[in-house]
Amino acid sequence: MQDISAKDTYVLIMAGGVGSRFWPKSRNSFPKQFIDILGIGKSLLQLTYDRFLNVCPKENIFVLSNEQYAALVAKQLDQLPLENIISEPSRNNTAPCIAYASFKIKGLNPHANIIVAPSDHLILDEKVFLEKVVHAVSFASTENALVTLGITPTRPDTGYGYINYSEYEKDGVHQVLKFLEKPDLERAKGFVASGDYLWNAGIFIWNVESILDALANYSPQIFSLFEKGTSFYNTIDERSFIVENYPLSDNISIDYAIMEKAKNVFTIPGDFGWSDLGTWASLYEVVEKDEYNNVFAGQAIDLSETTNCMIHIPNNKVAVIKGLDNFIVVDDGKVLLIYPKANEQEIKEVSKSIVAKCGDEFA
């Protein structure tokens, strides 16, 4: 593996999601990635940005988000150059925004190696994570390879997609055999027992030429659309081209458009304390608990006979809670949610019901 160059390493942070399962903290106007969900004074987006400053300069970090969140990104990442906030004029999933950003980066550096990562995931062991990222960049810089970081599964989880990978490896890099959608419990148990499957974390690493070749081969509509803008990227005319053309792109994820079709996909297994923080219960599982197995984020608290609860309240409020077990308690200042943790899969539908009854301000 060769040493990687920071000047040739670029990061695309995906920050356009809504995070509806973290309602009521996560709203359309202020979604999960912008929230201090861990109660430590930094949002998930800020933690992700800080993490990648270890592999490249801030000038090489780009944040991809819907245009309605551009001001939020700029406020939270005030050291990031404004031109590094890539605003999508429509929600067309991940393949179009990755294509757009890849053409833009190629115009800046035709030798670029690109890391694509979600903005709202938790990484507990950053040292190991960064080692895996550097390893992947080194491999992708010399091979025509699309690399994904796979997570060693710790349980038969039905909420994640899986990667089936070859036992044969070279320098810790394995060929991906196929991607599998979220399985039922029995299949998930089989995946974990076999030892041949990883969780798909949605973290990708490739050279700019490799991803553009893959787009040309497997997603020609998206490739052709954004290739037309080559002369506009990184100029004053870029925005007008994107506003006109971006909504015309296919609405498809990078997984469906490229990763499930390409033959040159590889994975590097890792175990670095990863969680996609998809739900309140998933947050509860990975963060520190008190002696009564409660997780609390906020300023003042008075708990009595309360156990196994996830509690998230504003810093300017006092919570007095007695006799609860295995509940989610979330106060965002406008909505108070008190819900059994065992039934949290219902929260997304509950939020839709509240919006229908009370208006879009609660979305």
Side-chain angles (χ1 to χ4, degrees):
M1 294 291 169
Q2 70 175 31
D3 292 335
I4 68 166
S5 166
K7 71 178 178 62
D8 289 337
T9 302
Y10 290 75
V11 175
L12 302 180
I13 299 176
M14 313 292 284
V18 175
S20 56
R21 288 179 176 82
F22 268 94
W23 187 87
K25 273 287 181 183
S26 183
R27 306 279 193 82
N28 285 338
S29 60
F30 201 84
K32 178 179 69 168
Q33 59 270 26
F34 301 107
I35 299 170
D36 176 15
I37 206 79
L38 302 175
I40 59 174
K42 285 192 174 184
S43 70
L44 293 171
L45 172 63
Q46 290 169 322
L47 291 171
T48 303
Y49 172 76
D50 289 349
R51 186 177 303 131
F52 284 112
L53 287 174
N54 292 290
V55 297
C56 69
K58 63 185 179 183
E59 291 78 15
N60 288 15
I61 297 177
F62 290 80
V63 177
L64 284 68
S65 192
N66 188 269
E67 61 185 6
Q68 78 178 100
Y69 304 135
L72 268 175
V73 174
K75 182 177 181 180
Q76 290 206 351
L77 304 180
D78 56 4
Q79 300 300 308
L80 183 72
L82 285 175
E83 60 268 25
N84 287 30
I85 300 172
I86 299 179
S87 299
E88 307 153 29
S90 60
R91 294 185 184 277
N92 288 39
N93 218 311
T94 55
C97 64
I98 288 172
Y100 168 23
S102 298
F103 274 108
K104 181 177 174 67
I105 289 172
K106 183 182 179 182
L108 297 171
N109 183 345
H111 306 293
N113 302 305
I114 301 173
I115 303 160
V116 180
S119 61
D120 55 358
H121 290 187
L122 179 68
I123 306 291
L124 293 176
D125 193 335
E126 295 202 353
K127 181 176 182 291
V128 172
F129 172 75
L130 293 170
E131 287 172 354
K132 298 292 183 182
V133 166
V134 169
H135 187 182
V137 172
S138 178
F139 181 79
S141 68
T142 58
E143 305 284 341
N144 179 21
L146 308 176
V147 185
T148 180
L149 296 190
I151 311 301
T152 305
T154 57
R155 60 187 181 277
D157 200 299
T158 60
Y160 298 144
Y162 285 73
I163 300 167
N164 180 209
Y165 70 106
S166 168
E167 184 178 313
Y168 173 77
E169 56 89 18
K170 181 181 178 183
D171 294 326
V173 183
H174 299 253
Q175 181 91 36
V176 170
L177 302 177
K178 59 182 173 179
F179 288 86
L180 297 104
E181 296 303 306
K182 298 173 183 178
D184 59 30
L185 183 58
E186 287 307 308
R187 289 193 77 205
K189 286 179 179 177
F191 291 168
V192 175
S194 75
D196 298 329
Y197 292 81
L198 303 167
W199 286 336
N200 181 7
I203 302 168
F204 307 114
I205 299 95
W206 41 55
N207 182 267
V208 67
E209 289 294 347
S210 298
I211 186 58
L212 291 178
D213 284 349
L215 285 163
N217 288 330
Y218 301 109
S219 193
Q221 189 270 348
I222 290 176
F223 178 87
S224 298
L225 180 68
F226 290 102
E227 185 185 37
K228 289 192 306 181
T230 298
S231 62
F232 302 112
Y233 299 132
N234 307 303
T235 75
I236 58 172
D237 297 317
E238 175 179 332
R239 188 62 188 165
S240 59
F241 171 82
I242 287 299
V243 167
E244 180 181 349
N245 288 276
Y246 193 96
L248 304 177
S249 65
D250 289 342
N251 187 329
I252 189 171
S253 72
I254 197 70
D255 299 78
Y256 284 127
I258 302 298
M259 303 304 285
E260 294 187 5
K261 299 175 182 176
K263 307 302 181 187
N264 58 330
V265 181
F266 297 83
T267 189
I268 297 177
D271 183 7
F272 36 79
W274 170 87
S275 172
D276 73 344
L277 294 183
T279 64
W280 286 110
S282 66
L283 174 61
Y284 175 85
E285 290 299 324
V286 297
V287 296
E288 189 175 348
K289 302 165 185 65
D290 68 14
E291 58 185 315
Y292 301 105
N293 275 333
N294 295 312
V295 172
F296 175 76
Q299 187 64 36
I301 189 75
D302 182 5
L303 296 179
S304 177
E305 301 170 27
T306 293
T307 53
N308 306 305
C309 286
M310 174 79 230
I311 303 167
H312 206 294
I313 65 167
N315 285 336
N316 61 352
K317 285 195 174 183
V318 174
V320 180
I321 301 171
K322 181 174 182 176
L324 280 188
D325 178 62
N326 211 34
F327 267 74
I328 298 166
V329 180
V330 181
D331 183 351
D332 84 322
K334 198 164 190 176
V335 176
L336 173 63
L337 174 76
I338 304 173
Y339 218 82
K341 193 140 51 77
N343 302 116
E344 76 150 359
Q345 71 276 4
E346 300 170 359
I347 291 176
K348 186 174 183 179
E349 293 305 314
V350 168
S351 69
K352 291 179 181 177
S353 174
I354 295 300
V355 171
K357 293 176 183 176
C358 304
D360 289 343
E361 63 182 301
F362 295 97

